[in-house]
Every structure is written in structure tokens, then in C-alpha cells.
Amino acid sequence: MSAPVRACIGLGGNMGEVAATLRSALAAIDALPATRLLRTSRFYRTPAWGVQAQPDFINAVAVLETTLGARALLEALLAIERDHGRERAEDGSRWGPRTLDLDLLLHGDAVVDEPGLVVPHPLLHVRAFVLVPLAEVAPDAVVPGLGRADALLAGIDASGIAPSGPGEPARGVRS
């Protein structure tokens, strides 16, 4: 068995009961084998990115400890998306409305560039909707080749991103 690593997962959605879907996805992530959910950010309301003519998103970040490799973890995340009604466009189009989006942002200090798997997430450092919750729960997380999450956040515009409401505080799941 491999040594556990800290992984960071981006969560988001803008269709249906998004907050309930994100809570359900967090429970499913925590139930993955060889994986323990350590901390989750608050939920943030964020403007749509990419295709802007769609409802705002709710985004969060989860920090977990896992012995799953990056590919196995990604496959598990894609299965959780499907279980929550996510349908990926067959034409490869991106950034449209979705019930649930789970992105593998970081997997320890791994740098992976394979078909269907790029870690760290290639747009992590320019997406305020990811960096705001990431810096909340793991400000010291290092994006290989780019720096710490808190420093990356300080260098971009995060206006328009705000907590989605009370009752979604950052929390440690297990001690």
C-alpha cells in the first residue's frame, strides 16, 4: 500500500439543489476506500466562468488524505459525478451548466500529464472560484511550479465571489 497523500478536490454545480448535491458528494468522497475527508471549505456563490450565460455556481474545496493514486481517485470522482446526475457533453464542450463538477486539483506534490489526467489542475492558478475556497482550507497547499495557494490568490481578482450563506462554515470532518 502506498503512503497517504493530501489531495485537494474542487466541487461545484449550478443546476438543481446544488448545496444538497455538494453535501452528498462530500459524503461520497469521505466513503471512498483508503480515503478520509479532512476539511471542507464554506460554499461560495461564484459567477459562471467560461460560458457566462448561465446561472451562478456554488463552489467549494475539500482536502482529503488518500492512498488512492491520482488516476484511481479521478475515476472515483467521475463515478460520484455520474451518480449525482452529471452528464458530460459528448462533443467535449466545457463550462456549461452542471449538477456536479469534481476536479482533482492537487494530489500530494505530484505532477501528472497523461491523457485524461493533468495534476495539478491546469487552470487552478487562474480560477478565483477555486483559489478562494482552497486558500480558506489549505492556504499552505503548494501548486507545483507555481507556489502556495494563498500567494496565488493574492495575485488574482476574486471580486464577485462570496460565501453562499450561513450554515456552510469551513469544517474539519474528522479529527
Side-chain angles (χ1 to χ4, degrees):
M1 181 174 280
S2 58
V5 298
R6 181 171 83 162
C8 297
I9 309 301
L11 301 92
N14 69 343
M15 293 175 53
E17 296 294 326
V18 179
T21 300
L22 295 184
R23 285 190 289 274
S24 177
L26 288 165
I29 290 167
D30 195 32
L32 291 174
T35 301
R36 181 170 65 118
L37 187 60
L38 300 176
R39 191 160 172 79
T40 61
S41 72
R42 290 178 285 181
F43 292 176
Y44 288 88
R45 181 164 302 282
T46 65
W49 195 90
V51 176
Q52 296 175 343
Q54 60 180 314
D56 285 350
F57 278 76
I58 295 178
N59 291 99
V61 165
V63 178
L64 50 102
E65 182 179 79
T66 186
T67 58
L68 295 176
R71 175 71 64 184
L73 181 56
L74 176 64
E75 293 301 323
L77 295 174
L78 294 174
I80 292 169
E81 283 185 353
R82 287 188 299 274
D83 290 346
H84 287 82
R86 171 74 186 269
E87 295 179 18
R88 291 187 175 264
E90 299 213 8
D91 65 2
S93 61
R94 305 170 75 180
W95 302 315
R98 65 212 51 194
T99 56
L100 179 63
D101 187 32
L102 299 175
D103 288 330
L104 178 55
L105 304 173
L106 298 168
H107 190 271
D109 59 1
V111 176
V112 181
D113 189 356
E114 302 172 357
L117 175 64
V118 178
V119 178
H121 191 283
L123 297 174
L124 164 61
H125 64 288
V126 297
R127 291 181 166 176
F129 68 86
V130 174
L131 287 172
V132 168
L134 178 60
E136 176 187 340
V137 293
D140 62 337
V142 175
V143 180
L146 296 172
R148 285 174 47 124
D150 54 1
L152 293 170
L153 176 58
I156 64 170
D157 178 11
S159 61
I161 297 175
S164 68
E168 299 298 346
R171 62 193 183 277
V173 176
R174 295 183 190 160
S175 52

